[in-house]
């Protein structure tokens, strides 16, 4: 291969990258397409002979561009999907270029030290104990899994059982306490860990999907033995935070009755609130708990994929994850070995994006980003409630807004809400998704992008109102629908 091949590949891809990034403020937010339309341009028989790399990626850039969902758009509010900060993007280009295997220090000294710094910064930014251990994993799912693996190690070790060596057969029972409104990745983690998705003690929630504290207190009072409690910073629907000070007190009481106890916080949506002084009331007591997970690729706006596990008990975290093999080259504790803290073996240097983003934003920039997104969520809530056509059904304490569109008399309420969501998606000015919450279909708005501004919110609200009216009165509005997303 000639050096010039790299130039040809860059020349084939970079113009598309530039055009795409420049188009973000105005392009359709979600492609109006079908799987077959996409197959028509990319699906072909496995080639026998191949083609020059620059030709392949040039074709891919041209052919696939129309089908890209603009997650980086300031008007993408679907699921909980963060944007891409320019510093994270630049770091990502370096990660791809250098292609480091950041599983250990030895193969990749530079990336390993950058990740050492990035993880220390994260702990400091979030106000968590300085001696916490950190794993940089693929996402919130694996962050929950990793933290709960550490929890499983610790609560069983305290009763004399080594789960890594001996497994779960014959082990003392672990009570896993969860709440009704938990994220599905908690159950999935418990499944991976052999603890069983159904083998949990479920506690009822209040109207914002927070633990009902009296119920949790009563539940813990009747449990004996190793106990793991799964709490949340930022519910995926309501954005609500559990009351951590009370949880920490309850955990102390439970421990005081000789029960090994661990409280894990799924903070995929909201852990970053701890970096914002304006949200200090939501995160009080957070630092007294045992483990925390969050997503770099949500509100921190680093590239996919990046999740974070932070753990107050490094020994349990390391026992759950670390690996030794005769051929590996591992340090004596002088350097951070990612493999000690991750379920992965080989891995990309995802901490580079965290490092670059934190260095570019600084502590005050992160706080401002969190506060801006949450303020814009409140703006959505105020404008939609003020329209008279919708009600906001959650307390908008963070970046999540749950909206119920008020159906005209002859419309089925759930079908109407789904139709409004579909009409917004079709118009392409903005993108939102729905949820079923407490038996009702709702529109769910997640403001998770550093790039979103007031103008984006106002344009999105206008699109939503057009959709609500068009679905309610199709004949009256057919003529006035915009023909392009603009
Ligand atoms: C998104 C999310 C997860 C899963 O995170 P991934 O990064 O998608 O793996 C877990 N918990 C909550 C509350 C989430 O919102």
């Amino acid at each position: 291969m000639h050096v010039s091949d790299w130039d040809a590949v860059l020349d084939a891809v970079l113009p598309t990258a530039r055009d795409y990034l420049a188009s973000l403020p105005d392009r359709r937010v979600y492609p109006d397409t079908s799987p077959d339309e996409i197959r028509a341009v990319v699906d072909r028989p496995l080639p026998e002979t191949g083609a020059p790399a620059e030709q392949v990626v040039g074709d891919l850039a041209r052919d696939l561009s129309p089908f890209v969902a603009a997650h980086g758009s300031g008007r993408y509010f679907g699921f909980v999907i963060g944007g891409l900060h320019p510093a994270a993007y630049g770091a990502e280009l370096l990660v791809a270029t250098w292609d480091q295997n950041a599983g250990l220090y030895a193969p990749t000294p530079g990336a390993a030290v950058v990740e050492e710094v990035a993880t220390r910064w994260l702990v400091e930014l979030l106000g968590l104990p300085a001696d916490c251990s950190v794993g940089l994993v693929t996402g919130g799912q694996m962050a929950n899994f990793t933290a709960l693996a550490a929890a499983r190690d610790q609560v069983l070790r305290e009763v004399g059982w080594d789960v890594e060596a001996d497994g779960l057969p014959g082990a003392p029972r672990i009570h896993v306490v969860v709440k009704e409104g938990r994220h599905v990745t908690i159950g999935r983690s418990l499944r991976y860990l052999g603890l069983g998705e159904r083998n949990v003690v479920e506690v009822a929630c209040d109207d914002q999907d927070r633990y009902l504290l009296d119920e949790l207190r009563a539940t813990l009072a009747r449990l004996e033995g190793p106990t793991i409690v799964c709490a949340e910073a930022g519910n995926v629907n309501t954005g609500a935070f559990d009351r951590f000070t009370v949880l920490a007190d309850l955990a102390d009481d439970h421990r005081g009755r000789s029960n090994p106890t661990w409280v894990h916080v799924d903070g995929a949506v909201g852990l970053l609130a701890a970096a914002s002084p304006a949200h200090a009331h939501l995160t009080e007591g957070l630092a007294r708990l045992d483990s925390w997970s969050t997503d770099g690729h949500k509100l921190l706006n680093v590239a996919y994929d990046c999740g974070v596990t932070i753990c107050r008990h490094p020994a349990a975290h390391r026992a759950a994850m670390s690996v030794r093999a005769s051929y590996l080259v591992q340090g004596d504790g002088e350097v951070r070995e990612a493999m000690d803290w991750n379920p992965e073996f080989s891995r990309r240097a995802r901490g580079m994006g965290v490092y670059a983003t934190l260095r570019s934003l600084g502590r005050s920039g992160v706080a401002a980003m969190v506060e801006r997104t949450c303020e814009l969520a409140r703006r959505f809530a105020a404008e939609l409630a003020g329209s008279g056509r919708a009600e906001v059904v959650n307390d908008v304490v963070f970046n999540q807004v749950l909206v119920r569109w008020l159906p005209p008399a002859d419309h089925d309420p759930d079908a109407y809400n789904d139709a409004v969501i579909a009409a917004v998606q079709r118009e392409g000015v903005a993108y939102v998704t729905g949820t079923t919450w407490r038996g009702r279909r709702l529109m769910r708005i997640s403001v998770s992008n550093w790039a979103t501004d007031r103008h984006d919110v106002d344009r999105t609200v206008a699109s939503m109102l057009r959709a609500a009216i068009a679905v309610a009165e199709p004949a009256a509005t057919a003529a006035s629908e915009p023909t392009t997303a603009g």
Side-chain angles (χ1 to χ4, degrees), residues 31-43:
D32 187 11
T33 188
S34 67
D36 278 339
E37 226 182 324
I38 305 170
R39 285 181 194 117
V41 296
V42 297
D43 192 358

Side-chain angles (χ1 to χ4, degrees), residues 80 139-142 144 183 185 232 234 236 266 268-269 295 297-298:
V80 183
Q141 167 76 73
M142 290 316 285
N144 283 332
H183 195 263
T185 54
E232 258 181 343
V236 75
D266 176 355
V269 173
D295 262 324
H297 55 225
K298 287 181 178 166

Side-chain angles (χ1 to χ4, degrees), residues 79-81 138-144 181-186 188 232-237 266-270 293-298 304-307 400 444:
F79 308 99
V80 183
I81 288 190
T138 49
Q141 167 76 73
M142 290 316 285
N144 283 332
R182 67 192 173 279
H183 195 263
V184 288
T185 54
I186 294 293
R188 195 159 176 239
E232 258 181 343
N235 178 267
V236 75
N237 283 312
D266 176 355
V269 173
S293 59
T294 191
D295 262 324
H297 55 225
K298 287 181 178 166
Y304 282 91
D305 46 21
C306 180
Q400 303 290 112
R444 182 156 151 282

Side-chain angles (χ1 to χ4, degrees), residues 358-428:
L358 293 182
R359 198 168 140 182
S360 175
L361 286 171
R363 196 194 281 275
S364 63
V366 174
M369 180 169 73
V370 172
E371 281 153 29
R372 189 172 63 245
T373 48
C374 295
E375 184 205 308
L376 292 171
R378 291 194 297 276
R379 185 179 181 90
F380 260 120
E383 290 195 8
L384 292 172
S387 75
R389 290 186 171 270
E391 74 181 314
V392 174
V393 304
N394 66 320
D395 294 341
V396 183
V397 297
F398 202 57
N399 68 336
Q400 303 290 112
V401 188
L402 288 178
V403 181
R404 176 74 164 177
W405 289 90
L406 304 172
D410 53 338
H411 283 65
D412 172 71
D414 286 344
Y416 180 69
N417 275 265
D418 280 337
V420 174
I421 294 165
V424 171
Q425 294 175 350
R426 225 171 18 248
E427 193 188 73

Side-chain angles (χ1 to χ4, degrees), residues 25-231:
D26 290 307
R27 73 182 281 130
R28 252 196 95 82
V29 178
Y30 192 84
D32 187 11
T33 188
S34 67
D36 278 339
E37 226 182 324
I38 305 170
R39 285 181 194 117
V41 296
V42 297
D43 192 358
R44 56 186 70 207
L46 171 68
E48 266 329 305
T49 52
E54 60 271 22
Q55 185 189 321
V56 171
V57 296
D59 286 356
L60 200 54
R62 186 194 60 231
D63 296 343
L64 206 59
S65 277
F67 304 109
V68 173
H71 289 171
S73 164
R75 293 185 306 283
Y76 188 100
F77 302 106
F79 308 99
V80 183
I81 288 190
L84 182 58
H85 189 275
Y89 176 64
E92 209 55 38
L93 293 178
L94 297 177
V95 168
T97 305
W98 292 335
D99 189 31
Q100 304 283 282
N101 181 346
L104 290 170
Y105 173 87
T108 171
V113 174
V114 165
E115 292 199 324
E116 173 187 306
V117 177
T119 54
R120 195 187 73 228
W121 283 354
L122 278 172
V123 170
E124 195 177 327
L125 177 76
L126 297 168
L128 298 174
D131 54 353
C132 282
S133 50
V134 182
L136 293 171
V137 298
T138 49
Q141 167 76 73
M142 290 316 285
N144 283 332
F145 165 81
T146 303
L148 291 171
R152 184 183 70 162
D153 170 88
Q154 171 93 8
V155 297
L156 286 179
R157 196 171 296 280
E158 284 181 41
V159 291
W161 189 270
D162 180 346
V163 70
E164 282 77 30
D166 299 321
L168 286 172
R173 159 130 205 217
I174 302 176
H175 303 292
V176 181
V177 178
V178 297
K179 59 178 177 174
E180 274 172 358
R182 67 192 173 279
H183 195 263
V184 288
T185 54
I186 294 293
R188 195 159 176 239
S189 300
L190 297 173
R191 201 200 305 163
Y192 293 170
L193 289 164
L195 295 170
E197 190 158 358
R198 203 165 48 194
N199 192 21
V200 291
V201 186
E202 193 179 72
V203 176
C205 289
D206 67 8
D207 64 353
Q208 299 300 311
D209 276 350
R210 295 178 298 189
Y211 270 110
L212 274 173
L213 296 172
D214 288 343
E215 302 271 332
L216 180 59
R217 186 176 293 111
T219 299
L220 289 173
R222 65 182 168 72
L223 296 178
E224 268 178 32
T227 306
I228 300 171
V229 179
C230 301

